Amino acid sequence: MLPYLQSDSTYKIHIHTFNKTLTQAQKIKKIDALEFLPFKGKVNLKKPEHIFWILEDYGMDPNNVPEEPFHLYFGRWIADGQRELIESYSVKKRHFIGNTSMDACLSFIMANHGRVKPNDVVYDPFVGTGGLLISSAHFGAYVCGTDIDYNTIHGLGKATRKNQKWRGPDENIRANLRQYGLEKYYLDALVSDSSRPIWRKGMLFDAIITDPPYGIREATRRTGAQKETDKTAERSTENHIFVSSSYHLSDIFFDLLKFAAEYLVMGGRLVYWLPIYRPEYTEEIIPRHPCLKLISNCEQMLSSHTSRRLITMEKVKEFKDQDQNSYLLDGQYMPYKGHNSFREKYFSGVTKRIAKEEKDNQK
């Protein structure tokens, strides 16, 4: 560090915190606490030769933020990353959005986990408004997706934005990619049920990046009558819409893993979000498949009792017919069924919180 602290140099110091917000006075106090360091140069806040950063890590639990950071880092800035993408691709400025459009930062994190590169083919089986396609297309991948919701795929129906009742004539996934100059990477988006694959057999995709519905803000549905989900679904002759039934979370994840095992290229990656009820979480409830290797498992807190985990898996074995329903033979299959009650557990926590707040207000 000494070469950057000389008297003929200029510098300034930044502070960045994770999971905590500091006031300006608190930041100045922390900067003043560095007086023991041999800074000999002059402070220049506009055009310094050297920029130093203090990074403070206050953990991942927003409901239990400590007074002092768990980790503290100090170093010299070398170069910027690509954080400007978070602002330039912000959902707030996006042409076409829905209730569950993925945050731009998380979308790029998922693309990085999927190791997306130019000329890859990336697929999202729960495409929604196409937020995950945008981040992959930014890195030069050709993108496509499917969704069971006809209105979302075609940009019809009620709008999500405040003060807008109906979606406009050009609110669709293609328009989103056009907004960022990425339309050339858009293959297509189809109305399709992820529980009934429509693709020809073979390894088609370099990455599958998706955020399945949890049953909270978006319903978990598949085609077929409630009592006859294994039979061919009937079509409404008037609206041409399939009869739909509930689609259990455990079935969603196993269908997703089975699809990835069959249609990913060797070395291709599956990246998806898994909702978790934290008091019952163990590593054993992570869905597995013999063709897929677990690469990473990262948690994002949603509340004191729920979170979701970003699961990244890589295809390491060619798919065979015997792998079709291999998970059914696994003795660990029953714990996975706990995913089906995530919605009830999520809202039970919300109900308890509201009751507690009402009780506190009455005091």
Side-chain angles (χ1 to χ4, degrees):
M1 295 288 287
L2 287 177
Y4 311 109
L5 307 178
Q6 300 305 311
S7 58
D8 59 346
S9 64
T10 58
Y11 72 95
K12 71 175 179 179
I13 299 174
H14 280 300
I15 294 182
H16 186 78
T17 57
F18 299 90
N19 197 33
K20 187 173 184 176
T21 301
L22 300 180
T23 64
Q24 188 63 24
Q26 288 173 320
K27 291 180 180 180
I28 293 174
K29 184 178 179 181
K30 289 178 180 289
I31 292 174
D32 290 342
L34 297 177
E35 62 182 2
F36 65 91
L37 291 175
F39 285 106
K40 297 178 181 178
K42 294 182 179 180
V43 173
N44 185 327
L45 299 180
K46 292 186 177 180
K47 292 184 178 181
E49 293 178 56
H50 309 297
I51 302 175
F52 298 92
W53 282 83
I54 300 173
L55 305 178
E56 295 186 339
D57 178 10
Y58 288 87
M60 299 177 60
D61 187 352
N63 301 302
N64 186 23
V65 180
E67 284 295 323
E68 299 297 326
F70 291 119
H71 303 97
L72 190 150
Y73 306 92
F74 178 77
R76 186 176 68 94
W77 171 84
I78 298 175
D80 283 329
Q82 300 186 66
R83 290 190 65 84
E84 74 280 355
L85 296 178
I86 299 173
E87 179 63 24
S88 58
Y89 282 88
S90 173
V91 174
K92 296 178 182 178
K93 304 174 184 177
R94 191 166 297 166
H95 186 64
F96 176 47
I97 62 170
N99 292 331
T100 58
S101 294
M102 184 63 67
D103 172 78
C105 179
L106 295 178
S107 297
F108 281 105
I109 288 173
M110 294 178 75
N112 284 337
H113 276 242
R115 295 194 303 192
V116 176
K117 59 186 183 299
N119 298 319
D120 278 355
V121 178
V122 177
Y123 172 64
D124 182 354
F126 304 96
V127 69
T129 57
L132 297 179
L133 302 188
I134 292 171
S135 56
S136 294
H138 172 82
F139 294 122
Y142 294 94
V143 296
C144 59
T146 56
D147 202 287
I148 196 173
D149 192 326
Y150 179 95
N151 285 343
T152 299
I153 289 293
H154 291 280
L156 304 174
K158 292 184 177 181
T160 300
R161 283 191 171 87
K162 190 178 180 181
N163 302 323
Q164 181 183 342
K165 188 173 182 180
W166 302 102
R167 287 179 174 142
D170 195 36
E171 287 193 50
N172 51 56
I173 298 174
R174 181 184 293 275
N176 273 351
L177 279 97
R178 186 186 307 127
Q179 177 182 351
Y180 301 109
L182 302 172
E183 187 177 4
K184 65 180 180 180
Y185 296 112
Y186 180 59
L187 298 177
D188 209 346
L190 310 173
V191 179
S192 175
D193 178 1
S194 64
S195 70
R196 302 171 184 272
I198 58 175
W199 306 96
R200 63 176 173 82
K201 298 295 183 182
M203 296 183 286
L204 305 177
F205 307 113
D206 297 285
I208 298 172
I209 300 175
T210 191
D211 181 28
Y214 317 144
I216 306 301
R217 288 184 290 175
E218 294 289 347
T220 54
R221 298 182 296 132
R222 61 178 168 186
T223 55
Q226 188 69 38
K227 296 181 180 180
E228 299 180 341
T229 55
D230 292 332
K231 294 183 178 181
T232 303
E234 299 178 0
R235 291 179 67 95
S236 166
T237 55
E238 181 180 355
N239 298 317
H240 300 285
I241 298 175
F242 279 107
V243 176
S244 64
S245 64
S246 61
Y247 194 7
H248 294 306
L249 277 177
S250 60
D251 295 329
I252 288 177
F253 295 124
F254 280 116
D255 286 346
L256 177 61
L257 264 65
K258 185 170 64 175
F259 181 89
E262 186 169 0
Y263 290 96
L264 276 176
V265 301
M266 287 297 296
R269 289 195 168 187
L270 166 66
V271 183
Y272 70 98
W273 288 102
L274 177 71
I276 293 296
Y277 183 63
R278 299 186 75 235
E280 298 178 0
Y281 173 74
T282 63
E283 291 286 338
E284 285 69 33
I285 68 172
I286 304 297
R288 311 282 178 143
H289 193 283
C291 296
L292 303 172
K293 176 185 176 182
L294 180 64
I295 300 297
S296 66
N297 173 4
C298 309
E299 183 181 31
Q300 181 194 23
M301 296 281 294
L302 300 178
S303 69
S304 60
H305 62 287
T306 59
S307 67
R308 59 180 180 178
R309 306 190 79 93
L310 183 60
I311 306 299
T312 304
M313 310 185 87
E314 185 173 307
K315 184 171 179 179
V316 294
K317 174 179 174 289
E318 285 197 19
F319 183 84
K320 304 293 183 182
D321 290 340
Q322 57 266 31
D323 297 320
Q324 187 75 17
N325 295 307
S326 59
Y327 66 89
L328 293 173
L329 305 176
D330 193 334
Q332 294 181 330
Y333 177 62
M334 289 310 294
Y336 304 152
K337 289 289 187 178
H339 294 304
N340 297 341
S341 57
F342 175 77
R343 187 177 190 276
E344 290 73 19
K345 293 170 183 175
Y346 176 89
F347 283 112
S348 69
V350 172
T351 303
K352 290 176 182 177
R353 189 182 73 243
I354 293 174
K356 183 178 183 299
E357 289 175 354
E358 291 177 349
K359 186 177 179 181
D360 292 341
N361 292 333
Q362 292 173 357
K363 291 181 179 179

